[in-house]
Amino acid sequence: MEEKDSKSVQDHLAQITQGKMTTKKLVFDPRTQELVLVDAKSPQLSPDAVTADDPTRDGFFACGLP
């Protein structure tokens, strides 16, 4: 199941940048141009999707978060 709402994505970004483990994976879907959350073990990822959890840990998406 995919979550696209900005609150869920922002909460996930905050958790990842704080080093917390999550059951979701942040993914950029180039077809929709959106960051979405999917279950970490989901086999239904689009072949075009790009996992964004590692750049998040590195601070790429962290600007503007408290």
Side-chain angles (χ1 to χ4, degrees), residues 36-53:
V36 296
L37 291 173
V38 296
D39 291 324
K41 297 180 182 182
S42 175
Q44 300 173 344
L45 286 178
S46 162
D48 297 328
V50 177
T51 302
D53 279 344

